[in-house]
Amino acid sequence: MPQTLIQKILSRKTGHTDQHSGDLIRIQPELLLASNDSINSIIQKFYQSGMKAVLCPEKVILVNNASPVESVHQSRDTFHFQEFVHHHRIKTYYEVGRSGCPSNVVINQGHIVPGMLTVSAEPQFAELGVMGSFPVLASVHEMALSLATGELWIQIPPSARFRFGGTLGNWVTGIDIGLHILKNYDLPENHKCVLEFSGEGLAELPLHERFNLANVLSAFGYEYILFEADTEVLQYLNQRTDKEAFFDQPDEKAEYEKDYEINLTAVTPMIAVAVEGEEIQIFPVESLADEPVHKIMAGAGGSGRYEDFQIGLKLTRYNPVNSAVQMMIMPSDTVVYSDLINNGLAGIFLDLGCEIYPSSFFKLLKEGLGIFTKVVHVMTTSPELFQSACRTEGHHVYLGSILTNFAAAVNGSIIHPRALEMKLRKAAPHSHDDDNNKKD
């Protein structure tokens, strides 16, 4: 029977090839993942259920990305978290100062390879599917049981296939593709449906843009995003791990709930806007040109990798942040933060008027901090922060790519990245960069 990508992965893990969507199967995940976003609820369920020990502590990876500004309650939770780690001898534990956004940490540290099964109780780990692994989303209670037994029963989810074709435009990123898909395609109503991505056009997407695309779809409710792993993934892994990987491919005649063809050439820079009392709307960036922006938060849970900041800085041509804008930059983890410092980008951003915050501030930002009001227009690259802002009173928030965010930061209002580049070229004398850009 022809199989989808997710069926291929699960069949290899269970040893049964005759499996269908909806079947109940037992799996033994290779990794169990958690951060301070879910671990204390898991610990509570673990002990309430009478469990005494973690069966396979070597399979557990825990990331503490607690905010540096904690309440008494949060400080107590952090203590219980650390106590659990030491009591159960969990070796793979990333403490504050060596952590970051949890999914970024486990990927950057080489823990995730194609064909792997992981389990967590946090939607943010959905982007692990970009690596060709399947990150099962479990309940807190199921996660506690998995810690004790090393197993989990799951239902094989249905799949929808997205095949990329065409070429990627100069100003288009993974966030733009995600917003384009949300706006223009009739997506599955079942948010547990696996969104499988493949096709010749996949090679057009650098790995960091695939993560950005996955983050958008995950933040808008889709639990499972799964990419066919290719040479881009292999090159990334060669620098980080020697774990055995399985580069599964779906069968051409596999049955999908829906089949989509995505022409990357047709994608343009997009922006989502949410205003209290109104539904989220998605527009081409030029449709909102000249709309004011007062605060910009780039990075952390979206476009927070080194490559993202590189392309953002290149667009600005080292022009400072507009005096009417406050811009905050959040590297996704300490590895990215270190790279920004060691390669000089951190100093440049500070000189241009940006504030740089560690990713541990991300949780505070998600909780609002009073920054979301109708008179203060906020723009972010983080789909998760955007959705969190939509739940706060009096919000007016935009979600856009790293290029759209940096363009607005320099311009003082929303502007198409291409329009900003043309504007900056006219204002600056001819340089060697201009010759290079013309060649591009």
Side-chain angles (χ1 to χ4, degrees):
M1 181 188 76
Q3 292 184 311
T4 65
L5 182 54
I6 184 57
Q7 288 171 341
K8 283 280 186 78
I9 294 173
L10 294 176
S11 291
R12 183 167 37 77
K13 295 299 181 183
T14 62
H16 301 291
T17 57
D18 188 23
Q19 296 180 148
H20 303 83
S21 173
D23 288 353
L24 195 63
I25 60 172
R26 183 174 63 181
I27 62 170
Q28 295 178 323
E30 285 121 301
L31 294 176
L32 296 98
L33 311 171
S35 75
N36 50 299
D37 284 348
S38 67
I39 189 62
N40 288 100
S41 297
I42 294 169
I43 292 171
Q44 189 176 19
K45 288 290 184 183
F46 186 87
Y47 290 126
Q48 282 178 349
S49 302
M51 302 170 196
K52 303 295 184 184
V54 174
L55 181 66
C56 302
E58 71 279 3
K59 291 185 176 182
V60 180
I61 300 178
L62 300 178
V63 180
N64 185 3
N65 198 34
S67 164
V69 184
E70 292 186 319
S71 65
V72 173
H73 175 73
Q74 290 169 329
S75 294
R76 185 169 59 246
D77 284 349
T78 298
F79 173 77
H80 292 319
F81 184 2
Q82 295 165 328
E83 190 177 48
F84 184 84
V85 169
H86 297 306
H87 179 74
H88 294 282
R89 298 181 180 180
I90 295 168
K91 294 182 179 179
T92 311
Y93 169 64
Y94 294 94
E95 182 57 274
V96 171
R98 295 179 294 277
S99 65
C101 295
S103 56
N104 287 266
V105 172
V106 296
I107 291 169
N108 283 344
Q109 295 297 330
H111 295 297
I112 307 300
V113 296
M116 176 179 280
L117 281 181
T118 68
V119 173
S120 79
E122 300 175 30
Q124 64 178 302
F125 286 108
E127 71 171 345
L128 272 55
V130 170
M131 303 296 292
S133 67
F134 183 49
V136 176
L137 181 62
S139 68
V140 167
H141 185 66
E142 289 170 330
M143 186 68 183
L145 286 172
S146 295
L147 286 171
T149 65
E151 298 179 339
L152 182 68
W153 285 88
I154 67 168
Q155 193 172 40
I156 298 177
S159 296
R161 177 166 55 187
F162 295 76
R163 287 185 282 198
F164 288 125
T167 56
L168 201 64
N170 286 338
W171 312 107
V172 178
T173 71
I175 287 181
D176 300 307
I177 298 169
L179 294 176
H180 173 84
I181 290 172
L182 289 168
K183 180 177 177 63
N184 296 296
Y185 292 85
D186 181 23
L187 299 182
E189 293 183 5
N190 180 3
H191 281 206
K192 292 185 180 295
C193 182
V194 180
L195 308 185
E196 297 188 9
F197 291 89
S198 59
E200 293 182 0
L202 186 59
E204 289 282 313
L205 284 180
L207 199 58
H208 68 104
E209 296 299 3
R210 301 179 197 183
F211 288 125
N212 292 333
L213 165 57
N215 281 328
V216 171
L217 297 176
S218 173
F220 278 81
Y222 287 92
E223 295 182 5
Y224 300 125
I225 292 94
L226 184 59
F227 280 66
E228 184 179 324
D230 59 5
T231 54
E232 184 90 8
V233 174
L234 180 61
Q235 290 172 3
Y236 183 87
L237 292 173
N238 284 340
Q239 307 169 32
R240 290 169 171 81
T241 184
D242 57 1
K243 287 184 179 181
E244 184 179 16
F246 295 89
F247 289 77
D248 298 297
Q249 293 181 324
D251 295 320
E252 184 62 31
K253 295 184 179 180
E255 292 187 8
Y256 287 89
E257 293 278 310
K258 292 190 176 184
D259 228 322
Y260 304 90
E261 298 288 338
I262 310 294
N263 179 10
L264 294 175
T265 309
V267 182
T268 62
M270 306 293 286
I271 192 167
V273 57
V275 180
E276 186 182 25
E278 302 177 15
E279 290 187 0
I280 295 173
Q281 298 185 73
I282 300 173
F283 302 98
V285 168
E286 56 266 31
S287 298
L288 296 177
D290 299 325
E291 286 290 318
V293 177
H294 306 108
K295 290 179 183 285
I296 292 176
M297 286 168 277
S303 298
R305 291 175 168 81
Y306 183 80
E307 297 86 350
D308 295 306
F309 294 120
Q310 274 187 311
I311 64 172
L313 181 60
K314 182 180 179 182
L315 171 67
T316 68
R317 298 169 67 91
Y318 302 97
N319 278 269
V321 173
N322 190 286
S323 60
V325 176
Q326 296 176 359
M327 185 166 191
M328 292 166 273
I329 286 176
M330 290 165 284
S332 62
D333 60 25
T334 53
V335 173
V336 177
Y337 206 157
S338 177
D339 287 343
L340 290 179
I341 293 171
N342 293 335
N343 293 312
L345 269 68
I348 294 171
F349 284 137
L350 292 173
D351 289 343
L352 297 181
C354 303
E355 285 281 347
I356 304 178
Y357 294 129
S359 62
S360 54
F361 271 82
F362 185 58
K363 188 173 182 180
L364 286 176
L365 294 173
K366 285 197 296 182
E367 293 168 356
L369 286 178
I371 59 175
F372 303 114
T373 65
K374 283 189 176 180
V375 295
V376 178
H377 297 189
V378 179
M379 181 180 286
T380 181
T381 62
S382 169
E384 189 180 357
L385 182 58
F386 175 80
Q387 290 288 5
S388 178
C390 290
R391 296 188 289 273
T392 61
E393 184 178 351
H395 60 269
H396 190 131
V397 60
Y398 300 101
L399 170 64
S401 73
I402 194 77
L403 294 173
T404 300
N405 275 256
F406 270 80
V410 172
N411 193 58
S413 60
I414 295 174
I415 185 173
H416 193 294
R418 179 184 61 245
L420 178 73
E421 185 181 72
M422 293 174 63
K423 181 178 179 180
L424 296 179
R425 280 187 180 183
K426 289 179 180 178
H430 179 80
S431 70
H432 180 64
D433 285 343
D434 292 326
D435 295 328
N436 289 338
N437 287 330
K438 286 177 183 176
K439 294 175 183 178
D440 295 339

